[in-house]
Amino acid sequence: FVQAVDNEPSPKPSESPSSKPRQRHRPSPTPPRPPTPPRDEVREKVRRNRPARDATASVRGGFGKADELAPAPRSFSTDPLVSASARLVALGWSEGAARSVYRPFPVAGPATFTNTWGALRYGPAPGQIRGHEGQDIFCDAGAPILAVTSGRIQFDTNGLGGRIARLRMDDGSYWYYAHLSGWNRDDLSTGDRVEPGDVIGYCGHSGDARTTPDHLHFGWYSKDEKARNPMTLLVGWLRTARARGKTVIARAERKAARTIRLQTLGRRFGDSWAPDLAQVPTPIPATSPGGSPSPQSSATCDPGLIAPSGTEPSATC
């Protein structure tokens, strides 16, 4: 039976159930990609689809409307300014001169801050809840606090801020410095004129900040006593100080390199014209009759030079 099946002739193609020839599957051609739009068009489309920012929106924290829009929440520090100041000291600058790299930022030394405008604060009245009218800059105890603009300084105290300073500008607005550990009474008095970078006080935690780390509460008030957010100004001052610090360091390094070159050239050519020390007469110690050193013993003894004309040189010389 198996042999019979194997010997049966195979059916012809015409006898197959399907008379159509079998076709191989071919994938459909890939459609051509659309042309890539120019980069400027992509940027314009992204800009159009970006949600608009309301210029009158309240500052994060819910305290009133902002006079200045605060940047996105992040932390800022004076670390680059600290490095710049240390570099200037290494180049021969004094501590006071190197402190100029922090101007016009209000704190000289290591400091950090973030946007705390409108954050909840409690007191001074029992159960009172208020918004934070300023920015807290955390700094080392005793760090110099600097004037940010020119104006007249006013020292005062109150329950919230402790030792405070107001830097009043010509238009009636003022900068408010709070929680100071002390004022710069050695150089300033109330009513004195100050310029950007002048030391007006020192970082501390006076007032209602006794239980908090040392920091400067920095505020900005208009002439009608309305609080404004100084965050954008602080960030701008910090960036200005960083850029100026790089310029100052580059200038100081060029000056130091030029000084070294001049000293090297002076030493090189000066030594070539200097007399041979072997030809310089050696001083001969001399004693006076009393046994004490002669006044001439400290000078080079040359009998031919010190003897008057027509006389014999001194034997002791």
Side-chain angles (χ1 to χ4, degrees):
F1 174 75
V2 174
Q3 185 178 4
V5 171
D6 293 340
N7 293 334
E8 289 183 358
S10 59
K12 297 180 180 180
S14 59
E15 298 176 356
S16 62
S18 175
S19 59
K20 297 181 179 180
R22 188 175 182 180
Q23 298 180 354
R24 297 181 61 185
H25 174 72
R26 295 180 180 180
S28 58
T30 304
R33 293 184 178 182
T36 304
R39 183 173 300 179
D40 294 341
E41 295 182 6
V42 174
R43 292 177 178 175
E44 181 64 20
K45 184 176 180 180
V46 172
R47 188 189 65 81
R48 289 197 305 266
N49 295 334
R50 185 180 301 164
R53 187 176 185 182
D54 186 4
T56 62
S58 299
V59 176
R60 287 177 289 274
F63 184 76
K65 290 187 176 181
D67 295 292
E68 302 292 335
L69 292 176
R74 54 170 294 192
S75 178
F76 300 88
S77 74
T78 59
D79 290 347
L81 302 181
V82 174
S83 300
S85 178
R87 177 57 179 161
L88 291 176
V89 171
L91 290 172
W93 288 41
S94 65
E95 294 285 347
R99 191 169 54 233
S100 63
V101 298
Y102 294 95
R103 190 178 68 243
F105 194 72
V107 177
T112 58
F113 66 100
T114 188
N115 185 22
T116 57
W117 172 267
L120 295 182
R121 295 291 188 269
Y122 303 93
Q128 179 183 2
I129 300 178
R130 53 188 174 84
H132 190 216
E133 297 183 353
Q135 299 294 343
D136 288 339
I137 306 174
F138 291 89
C139 45
D140 294 341
I145 303 300
L146 312 178
V148 294
T149 61
S150 59
R152 297 198 175 275
I153 198 67
Q154 176 187 2
F155 298 131
D156 200 357
T157 59
N158 61 37
L160 286 178
R163 296 182 181 89
I164 66 171
R166 297 182 181 90
L167 178 54
R168 296 191 177 274
M169 293 174 282
D170 296 336
D171 61 356
S173 60
Y174 64 91
W175 310 109
Y176 178 74
Y177 300 77
H179 309 312
L180 304 179
S181 62
W183 304 290
N184 184 13
R185 290 291 195 180
D186 296 336
D187 301 323
L188 299 173
S189 300
T190 295
D192 287 350
R193 186 83 179 176
V194 296
E195 299 298 331
D198 290 347
V199 178
I200 62 176
Y202 305 96
C203 181
H205 57 273
S206 59
D208 67 345
R210 291 186 298 271
T211 59
T212 65
D214 297 287
H215 68 278
L216 167 68
H217 172 89
F218 185 78
W220 177 22
Y221 289 85
S222 61
K223 61 181 180 180
D224 54 357
E225 296 292 334
K226 289 185 179 180
R228 306 176 68 179
N229 184 10
M231 183 65 182
T232 300
L233 297 177
L234 288 172
V235 175
W237 291 332
L238 186 62
R239 291 172 178 170
T240 299
R242 288 178 181 176
R244 194 183 68 255
K246 293 179 181 179
T247 303
V248 172
I249 289 177
R251 189 182 301 119
E253 288 177 342
R254 288 196 299 268
K255 183 178 180 180
R258 185 167 57 252
T259 302
I260 293 174
R261 287 196 300 269
L262 292 176
Q263 292 176 349
T264 302
L265 291 174
R267 179 65 183 272
R268 181 180 303 170
F269 291 101
D271 289 350
S272 63
W273 291 96
D276 187 1
L277 296 180
Q279 300 176 0
V280 177
T282 304
I284 301 175
T287 58
S288 61
S292 59
S294 173
Q296 297 177 350
S297 61
S298 60
T300 301
C301 186
D302 189 346
L305 293 177
I306 64 175
S309 59
T311 61
E312 295 294 332
S314 173
T316 58
C317 184

